[in-house]
Amino acid sequence: MSLHRRQFLRSSLAASSLVSMGGVTIPGFLAQSARAARGAAKSNDRILVVVQLVGGNDGLNTVVPHGIDGYVRNRRRLRLPTGQLHRVTDDISLHPSMGQMAKLLEDGRLAIVQGVGYPNPDRSHFRSMEIWETARTDSHPEALETGWLGRVLDADPPSPGSDSPALHVGGGRLPLALRARRVEVPSMEQIDQFRLQANGSSAEQDSTRSALNEVAGVDRSDDPLLGFLRRSTLAAYEASARLEEVAAGQGGETNYPNFNLARRLEQIARIIKAGFGTRIYYTRQDGYDTHANQLATHAALLNELADSLAAFHEDLAQDGQAGRVAVLVFSEFGRRVAENASNGTDHGAAAPVFVVGPVAQVGLIGEHPSLDDLDEGDLKYQTDFRSLYASLLDEWLGVPSAPIIGEGFAPVSLLSTS
Protein backbone atom coordinates (compact mmCIF):
# COMPACT_ATOMS: atom_id res chain seq x y z
CA MET A 1 0.00 0.00 0.00
CA SER A 2 1.45 3.38 -0.92
CA LEU A 3 1.17 6.50 1.18
CA HIS A 4 0.91 10.09 0.12
CA ARG A 5 4.22 11.92 0.85
CA ARG A 6 2.60 14.41 3.26
CA GLN A 7 0.81 11.58 5.06
CA PHE A 8 4.03 9.66 5.38
CA LEU A 9 5.98 12.62 6.76
CA ARG A 10 3.27 13.46 9.27
CA SER A 11 3.02 9.86 10.44
CA SER A 12 6.78 9.42 10.67
CA LEU A 13 7.34 12.56 12.71
CA ALA A 14 4.51 11.64 15.05
CA ALA A 15 5.94 8.18 15.46
CA SER A 16 9.37 9.52 16.39
CA SER A 17 7.92 11.43 19.33
CA LEU A 18 6.28 8.32 20.73
CA VAL A 19 9.46 6.78 21.99
CA SER A 20 9.71 8.13 25.50
CA MET A 21 7.53 6.74 28.27
CA GLY A 22 4.59 4.44 28.72
CA GLY A 23 3.71 0.81 28.91
CA VAL A 24 2.03 -0.43 25.77
CA THR A 25 3.04 -3.46 23.77
CA ILE A 26 5.27 -3.02 20.76
CA PRO A 27 4.31 -4.24 17.30
CA GLY A 28 4.94 -7.93 16.80
CA PHE A 29 7.28 -7.63 13.84
CA LEU A 30 9.53 -5.32 15.89
CA ALA A 31 9.78 -7.79 18.73
CA GLN A 32 10.84 -10.42 16.21
CA SER A 33 13.41 -8.01 14.84
CA ALA A 34 14.69 -7.35 18.34
CA ARG A 35 15.17 -11.03 19.05
CA ALA A 36 16.97 -11.48 15.76
CA ALA A 37 19.25 -8.56 16.48
CA ARG A 38 20.03 -9.88 19.94
CA GLY A 39 21.12 -13.13 18.48
CA ALA A 40 23.38 -11.30 16.08
CA ALA A 41 25.00 -9.13 18.79
CA LYS A 42 28.74 -9.47 19.00
CA SER A 43 29.59 -10.92 22.38
CA ASN A 44 33.27 -10.06 22.17
CA ASP A 45 32.93 -6.32 21.65
CA ARG A 46 34.54 -4.33 24.46
CA ILE A 47 32.43 -1.91 26.44
CA LEU A 48 33.32 1.38 28.15
CA VAL A 49 31.31 2.69 31.10
CA VAL A 50 32.08 6.25 32.20
CA VAL A 51 31.19 7.39 35.73
CA GLN A 52 31.55 11.14 36.23
CA LEU A 53 31.89 12.42 39.80
CA VAL A 54 30.23 15.83 39.56
CA GLY A 55 31.44 18.67 41.75
CA GLY A 56 35.18 18.14 41.92
CA ASN A 57 36.24 15.20 44.09
CA ASP A 58 38.82 15.73 46.84
CA GLY A 59 41.46 13.39 45.52
CA LEU A 60 43.75 13.89 48.52
CA ASN A 61 41.15 12.43 50.87
CA THR A 62 40.24 9.68 48.38
CA VAL A 63 43.65 8.26 47.52
CA VAL A 64 45.29 9.45 50.71
CA PRO A 65 49.06 10.23 50.82
CA HIS A 66 49.17 9.77 54.59
CA GLY A 67 52.86 8.91 54.57
CA ILE A 68 53.86 12.14 52.84
CA ASP A 69 54.61 15.11 55.12
CA GLY A 70 52.58 17.62 53.15
CA TYR A 71 49.33 15.77 53.83
CA VAL A 72 49.66 16.04 57.60
CA ARG A 73 50.74 19.67 57.33
CA ASN A 74 47.85 20.77 55.09
CA ARG A 75 45.03 18.62 56.43
CA ARG A 76 44.67 19.22 60.14
CA ARG A 77 40.89 18.98 60.67
CA LEU A 78 40.20 16.83 57.59
CA ARG A 79 43.12 14.45 58.12
CA LEU A 80 41.98 10.82 58.00
CA PRO A 81 43.24 8.39 60.67
CA THR A 82 45.96 6.20 59.19
CA GLY A 83 44.73 3.15 61.04
CA GLN A 84 41.35 3.28 59.30
CA LEU A 85 42.69 3.57 55.75
CA HIS A 86 42.86 0.74 53.21
CA ARG A 87 46.50 0.23 52.28
CA VAL A 88 47.70 0.56 48.70
CA THR A 89 51.39 1.22 49.47
CA ASP A 90 53.21 2.15 52.66
CA ASP A 91 52.56 5.85 52.01
CA ILE A 92 49.28 5.85 50.10
CA SER A 93 45.92 4.30 50.99
CA LEU A 94 42.26 4.49 50.12
CA HIS A 95 39.63 6.34 52.18
CA PRO A 96 38.12 4.28 55.05
CA SER A 97 34.76 4.16 53.22
CA MET A 98 36.28 2.52 50.16
CA GLY A 99 36.60 -1.00 51.47
CA GLN A 100 34.94 -2.46 48.39
CA MET A 101 37.37 -0.62 46.13
CA ALA A 102 40.19 -2.09 48.21
CA LYS A 103 38.69 -5.51 47.51
CA LEU A 104 38.73 -4.76 43.77
CA LEU A 105 42.38 -3.83 44.19
CA GLU A 106 43.12 -7.13 45.94
CA ASP A 107 41.35 -8.96 43.12
CA GLY A 108 43.53 -7.25 40.50
CA ARG A 109 40.65 -5.26 38.97
CA LEU A 110 41.55 -1.67 39.93
CA ALA A 111 44.07 0.84 38.59
CA ILE A 112 44.57 4.30 40.08
CA VAL A 113 46.20 6.92 37.86
CA GLN A 114 47.68 9.65 40.07
CA GLY A 115 47.91 13.35 39.32
CA VAL A 116 45.63 13.55 36.27
CA GLY A 117 44.77 16.96 34.83
CA TYR A 118 45.60 19.35 32.00
CA PRO A 119 47.67 22.50 31.38
CA ASN A 120 46.43 25.81 32.80
CA PRO A 121 43.62 24.24 34.81
CA ASP A 122 40.32 26.07 35.15
CA ARG A 123 38.65 26.01 38.58
CA SER A 124 35.18 26.65 37.16
CA HIS A 125 32.98 23.57 37.34
CA PHE A 126 31.35 24.31 34.01
CA ARG A 127 34.49 25.16 32.09
CA SER A 128 36.46 22.25 33.50
CA MET A 129 33.65 19.82 32.69
CA GLU A 130 33.57 21.21 29.16
CA ILE A 131 37.29 20.54 28.84
CA TRP A 132 37.06 16.99 30.14
CA GLU A 133 33.93 16.20 28.13
CA THR A 134 35.15 17.63 24.83
CA ALA A 135 38.86 16.79 25.30
CA ARG A 136 39.59 20.30 24.06
CA THR A 137 41.15 23.16 26.00
CA ASP A 138 40.80 25.81 23.30
CA SER A 139 37.96 28.32 23.00
CA HIS A 140 37.18 27.84 19.31
CA PRO A 141 33.41 28.07 18.68
CA GLU A 142 33.41 24.50 17.32
CA ALA A 143 35.00 23.14 20.48
CA LEU A 144 31.68 22.76 22.28
CA GLU A 145 29.67 21.32 19.41
CA THR A 146 30.64 17.70 20.03
CA GLY A 147 32.01 15.64 22.89
CA TRP A 148 34.93 13.24 22.73
CA LEU A 149 32.65 10.21 22.79
CA GLY A 150 30.24 11.87 20.38
CA ARG A 151 33.06 12.15 17.87
CA VAL A 152 33.67 8.42 18.34
CA LEU A 153 30.04 7.81 17.39
CA ASP A 154 30.22 10.16 14.39
CA ALA A 155 33.26 8.27 13.09
CA ASP A 156 31.20 5.10 12.74
CA PRO A 157 27.47 5.86 12.89
CA PRO A 158 25.17 2.88 13.42
CA SER A 159 23.26 1.37 10.57
CA PRO A 160 19.45 1.70 10.65
CA GLY A 161 17.86 -0.83 12.95
CA SER A 162 20.99 -1.54 14.99
CA ASP A 163 21.30 -0.88 18.71
CA SER A 164 22.18 2.60 19.87
CA PRO A 165 25.99 2.75 20.13
CA ALA A 166 25.80 4.78 23.36
CA LEU A 167 23.40 5.35 26.25
CA HIS A 168 23.22 7.92 29.03
CA VAL A 169 21.68 6.43 32.16
CA GLY A 170 20.60 9.10 34.63
CA GLY A 171 18.60 12.27 35.01
CA GLY A 172 19.35 15.73 33.70
CA ARG A 173 20.80 16.80 30.42
CA LEU A 174 22.68 14.57 28.03
CA PRO A 175 26.39 14.88 28.88
CA LEU A 176 28.35 17.03 26.47
CA ALA A 177 30.75 14.09 26.14
CA LEU A 178 28.05 12.21 24.18
CA ARG A 179 26.98 15.06 21.91
CA ALA A 180 27.46 14.08 18.26
CA ARG A 181 26.59 15.53 14.88
CA ARG A 182 25.32 12.38 13.19
CA VAL A 183 24.05 10.24 16.06
CA GLU A 184 21.31 10.87 18.62
CA VAL A 185 22.15 9.29 21.97
CA PRO A 186 19.20 8.19 24.16
CA SER A 187 19.05 9.36 27.77
CA MET A 188 17.02 7.49 30.37
CA GLU A 189 16.72 7.16 34.14
CA GLN A 190 15.15 3.67 34.10
CA ILE A 191 14.88 1.02 31.40
CA ASP A 192 11.11 0.88 31.65
CA GLN A 193 10.89 4.60 30.84
CA PHE A 194 12.24 3.87 27.38
CA ARG A 195 9.06 2.45 25.88
CA LEU A 196 6.67 3.27 23.17
CA GLN A 197 3.92 5.59 24.31
CA ALA A 198 0.46 5.66 22.82
CA ASN A 199 -2.34 7.66 24.41
CA GLY A 200 -6.11 7.24 24.31
CA SER A 201 -8.45 4.29 24.49
CA SER A 202 -7.56 0.77 23.43
CA ALA A 203 -9.20 1.38 20.07
CA GLU A 204 -7.17 4.57 19.61
CA GLN A 205 -3.95 2.80 20.59
CA ASP A 206 -4.72 0.03 18.09
CA SER A 207 -5.28 2.69 15.43
CA THR A 208 -1.93 4.25 16.29
CA ARG A 209 -0.27 0.89 16.03
CA SER A 210 -1.75 0.29 12.62
CA ALA A 211 -0.50 3.65 11.42
CA LEU A 212 2.99 2.95 12.77
CA ASN A 213 3.09 -0.46 11.13
CA GLU A 214 2.03 1.13 7.88
CA VAL A 215 4.71 3.79 8.10
CA ALA A 216 7.47 1.38 9.01
CA GLY A 217 6.45 -1.11 6.36
CA VAL A 218 6.61 1.22 3.35
CA ASP A 219 9.72 1.08 1.22
CA ARG A 220 10.53 4.65 0.07
CA SER A 221 14.01 4.13 -1.32
CA ASP A 222 12.94 6.37 -4.22
CA ASP A 223 12.80 9.38 -1.91
CA PRO A 224 15.91 10.11 0.27
CA LEU A 225 14.00 12.20 2.80
CA LEU A 226 11.22 9.70 3.28
CA GLY A 227 13.74 6.90 3.35
CA PHE A 228 15.64 8.67 6.13
CA LEU A 229 12.47 9.14 8.16
CA ARG A 230 11.53 5.51 7.72
CA ARG A 231 14.98 4.36 8.83
CA SER A 232 14.86 6.67 11.87
CA THR A 233 11.44 5.41 12.82
CA LEU A 234 12.50 1.80 12.55
CA ALA A 235 15.62 2.46 14.60
CA ALA A 236 13.57 4.11 17.34
CA TYR A 237 11.07 1.24 17.37
CA GLU A 238 13.70 -1.43 17.56
CA ALA A 239 15.68 0.29 20.33
CA SER A 240 12.47 0.65 22.29
CA ALA A 241 11.51 -2.95 21.61
CA ARG A 242 14.80 -4.33 22.86
CA LEU A 243 14.85 -2.21 26.00
CA GLU A 244 11.22 -3.12 26.65
CA GLU A 245 12.18 -6.78 26.60
CA VAL A 246 14.96 -6.10 29.12
CA ALA A 247 12.53 -4.24 31.38
CA ALA A 248 10.08 -7.13 31.22
CA GLY A 249 12.75 -9.69 32.09
CA GLN A 250 13.57 -10.84 35.61
CA GLY A 251 17.14 -9.52 35.59
CA GLY A 252 18.42 -12.48 37.59
CA GLU A 253 19.83 -12.56 41.14
CA THR A 254 21.73 -9.39 41.92
CA ASN A 255 23.03 -7.82 45.10
CA TYR A 256 23.22 -4.07 44.58
CA PRO A 257 23.22 -1.63 47.52
CA ASN A 258 20.41 0.91 47.80
CA PHE A 259 22.22 3.84 46.17
CA ASN A 260 21.27 5.93 43.13
CA LEU A 261 24.58 5.13 41.44
CA ALA A 262 24.12 1.43 42.14
CA ARG A 263 20.64 1.46 40.57
CA ARG A 264 22.00 3.13 37.44
CA LEU A 265 24.85 0.68 37.15
CA GLU A 266 22.40 -2.17 37.65
CA GLN A 267 20.38 -0.84 34.69
CA ILE A 268 23.54 -0.77 32.60
CA ALA A 269 24.44 -4.31 33.65
CA ARG A 270 20.98 -5.57 32.66
CA ILE A 271 21.36 -4.05 29.20
CA ILE A 272 24.84 -5.51 28.78
CA LYS A 273 23.73 -8.95 29.93
CA ALA A 274 20.77 -8.80 27.52
CA GLY A 275 23.23 -8.78 24.63
CA PHE A 276 22.81 -5.23 23.34
CA GLY A 277 25.32 -3.88 20.88
CA THR A 278 25.78 -0.65 22.87
CA ARG A 279 29.48 -0.11 23.61
CA ILE A 280 29.50 3.20 25.49
CA TYR A 281 27.53 3.97 28.67
CA TYR A 282 27.66 7.18 30.67
CA THR A 283 26.34 7.98 34.13
CA ARG A 284 27.03 10.46 36.93
CA GLN A 285 27.27 10.68 40.70
CA ASP A 286 26.51 14.18 42.03
CA GLY A 287 27.47 15.89 45.27
CA TYR A 288 31.26 16.23 45.33
CA ASP A 289 31.35 20.04 45.71
CA THR A 290 32.30 19.79 49.39
CA HIS A 291 33.17 23.33 50.53
CA ALA A 292 31.96 22.91 54.14
CA ASN A 293 31.84 20.14 56.72
CA GLN A 294 33.26 17.74 54.21
CA LEU A 295 34.20 14.67 56.22
CA ALA A 296 30.82 12.95 56.63
CA THR A 297 29.49 13.95 53.20
CA HIS A 298 32.61 12.83 51.42
CA ALA A 299 32.68 9.53 53.28
CA ALA A 300 29.09 8.79 52.26
CA LEU A 301 29.78 9.63 48.61
CA LEU A 302 32.86 7.42 48.46
CA ASN A 303 31.01 4.59 50.16
CA GLU A 304 28.29 4.82 47.51
CA LEU A 305 30.89 4.88 44.75
CA ALA A 306 32.91 1.95 46.07
CA ASP A 307 29.97 -0.30 46.95
CA SER A 308 28.19 0.45 43.65
CA LEU A 309 31.23 -0.26 41.50
CA ALA A 310 31.95 -3.49 43.36
CA ALA A 311 28.36 -4.71 42.95
CA PHE A 312 28.44 -3.83 39.24
CA HIS A 313 31.68 -5.72 38.73
CA GLU A 314 30.42 -8.74 40.66
CA ASP A 315 27.17 -8.80 38.68
CA LEU A 316 29.06 -8.78 35.38
CA ALA A 317 31.58 -11.34 36.61
CA GLN A 318 28.82 -13.78 37.52
CA ASP A 319 27.48 -13.44 33.98
CA GLY A 320 30.91 -13.89 32.40
CA GLN A 321 30.97 -10.29 31.13
CA ALA A 322 33.56 -8.64 33.40
CA GLY A 323 36.43 -9.26 30.99
CA ARG A 324 34.94 -7.03 28.30
CA VAL A 325 33.73 -4.11 30.43
CA ALA A 326 35.99 -1.27 31.59
CA VAL A 327 34.85 1.53 33.89
CA LEU A 328 36.45 4.97 33.88
CA VAL A 329 35.82 7.12 36.99
CA PHE A 330 36.82 10.78 36.88
CA SER A 331 35.93 14.20 38.27
CA GLU A 332 36.34 17.59 36.61
CA PHE A 333 39.05 18.61 39.09
CA GLY A 334 40.42 17.83 42.54
CA ARG A 335 40.40 20.13 45.55
CA ARG A 336 43.07 22.49 46.84
CA VAL A 337 45.76 20.92 49.00
CA ALA A 338 45.00 23.04 52.06
CA GLU A 339 41.65 22.70 53.77
CA ASN A 340 39.53 25.85 54.18
CA ALA A 341 38.15 27.49 57.32
CA SER A 342 34.75 25.78 56.90
CA ASN A 343 36.08 22.26 57.38
CA GLY A 344 35.90 21.73 53.66
CA THR A 345 38.02 22.13 50.56
CA ASP A 346 37.87 24.49 47.59
CA HIS A 347 38.28 23.96 43.85
CA GLY A 348 41.69 22.64 42.86
CA ALA A 349 43.35 20.93 39.94
CA ALA A 350 44.96 17.50 39.49
CA ALA A 351 43.32 14.41 41.01
CA PRO A 352 43.35 10.62 40.74
CA VAL A 353 41.35 8.71 38.12
CA PHE A 354 40.10 5.15 38.64
CA VAL A 355 39.86 2.38 36.08
CA VAL A 356 37.96 -0.80 36.99
CA GLY A 357 38.09 -3.93 34.84
CA PRO A 358 40.77 -6.10 33.28
CA VAL A 359 43.50 -3.59 34.09
CA ALA A 360 47.00 -3.90 32.68
CA GLN A 361 48.60 -2.44 35.82
CA VAL A 362 47.06 -3.13 39.21
CA GLY A 363 47.26 -0.34 41.78
CA LEU A 364 48.97 3.00 41.39
CA ILE A 365 50.07 4.33 38.02
CA GLY A 366 52.53 7.23 38.18
CA GLU A 367 54.03 9.01 41.14
CA HIS A 368 51.94 11.03 43.56
CA PRO A 369 52.18 14.76 42.76
CA SER A 370 54.47 16.71 45.07
CA LEU A 371 52.79 18.25 48.10
CA ASP A 372 55.56 20.85 48.35
CA ASP A 373 55.95 21.96 44.73
CA LEU A 374 52.48 23.38 44.13
CA ASP A 375 50.88 25.59 41.50
CA GLU A 376 49.23 28.40 43.49
CA GLY A 377 48.18 25.95 46.15
CA ASP A 378 47.13 23.18 43.76
CA LEU A 379 48.70 19.87 42.84
CA LYS A 380 50.53 19.92 39.51
CA TYR A 381 49.24 17.40 37.02
CA GLN A 382 51.55 14.63 35.84
CA THR A 383 49.34 12.85 33.32
CA ASP A 384 47.20 14.65 30.77
CA PHE A 385 43.67 13.18 30.89
CA ARG A 386 43.74 12.92 27.09
CA SER A 387 46.47 10.27 27.38
CA LEU A 388 43.93 8.16 29.27
CA TYR A 389 41.36 8.80 26.55
CA ALA A 390 43.97 7.79 23.96
CA SER A 391 44.45 4.47 25.71
CA LEU A 392 40.72 3.82 25.97
CA LEU A 393 40.20 4.65 22.30
CA ASP A 394 43.27 3.08 20.67
CA GLU A 395 43.68 0.03 22.86
CA TRP A 396 40.24 -0.71 24.32
CA LEU A 397 37.58 0.44 21.87
CA GLY A 398 39.84 0.07 18.83
CA VAL A 399 39.14 3.58 17.57
CA PRO A 400 42.08 5.74 16.36
CA SER A 401 42.45 8.46 18.97
CA ALA A 402 44.20 11.19 16.97
CA PRO A 403 41.11 12.26 14.95
CA ILE A 404 39.09 12.29 18.18
CA ILE A 405 41.34 14.07 20.70
CA GLY A 406 44.21 15.38 18.55
CA GLU A 407 47.84 14.42 18.12
CA GLY A 408 50.54 14.09 20.76
CA PHE A 409 48.85 12.19 23.58
CA ALA A 410 50.74 8.97 24.19
CA PRO A 411 48.45 6.28 25.58
CA VAL A 412 48.95 5.19 29.18
CA SER A 413 48.72 1.43 29.46
CA LEU A 414 45.44 0.92 31.33
CA LEU A 415 43.73 -2.27 30.22
CA SER A 416 44.66 -5.76 29.16
CA THR A 417 43.24 -6.72 25.78
CA SER A 418 44.67 -10.22 25.55
Side-chain angles (χ1 to χ4, degrees), residues 56-63 65 75 113-123 128 132 330-337 346-353 367-371 373-385:
N57 178 41
D58 180 11
L60 275 183
N61 266 21
T62 301
V63 182
R75 297 293 176 97
V113 189
Q114 303 190 97
V116 182
Y118 55 89
N120 304 312
D122 196 304
R123 296 193 185 96
S128 194
W132 275 84
F330 80 97
S331 194
E332 68 265 28
F333 48 60
R335 315 297 287 191
R336 296 180 73 77
V337 174
D346 297 323
H347 302 180
V353 166
E367 297 295 321
H368 195 281
S370 172
L371 292 174
D373 181 20
L374 303 177
D375 179 10
E376 299 182 351
D378 289 336
L379 296 175
K380 293 181 177 178
Y381 84 98
Q382 297 186 340
T383 300
D384 193 301
F385 72 98

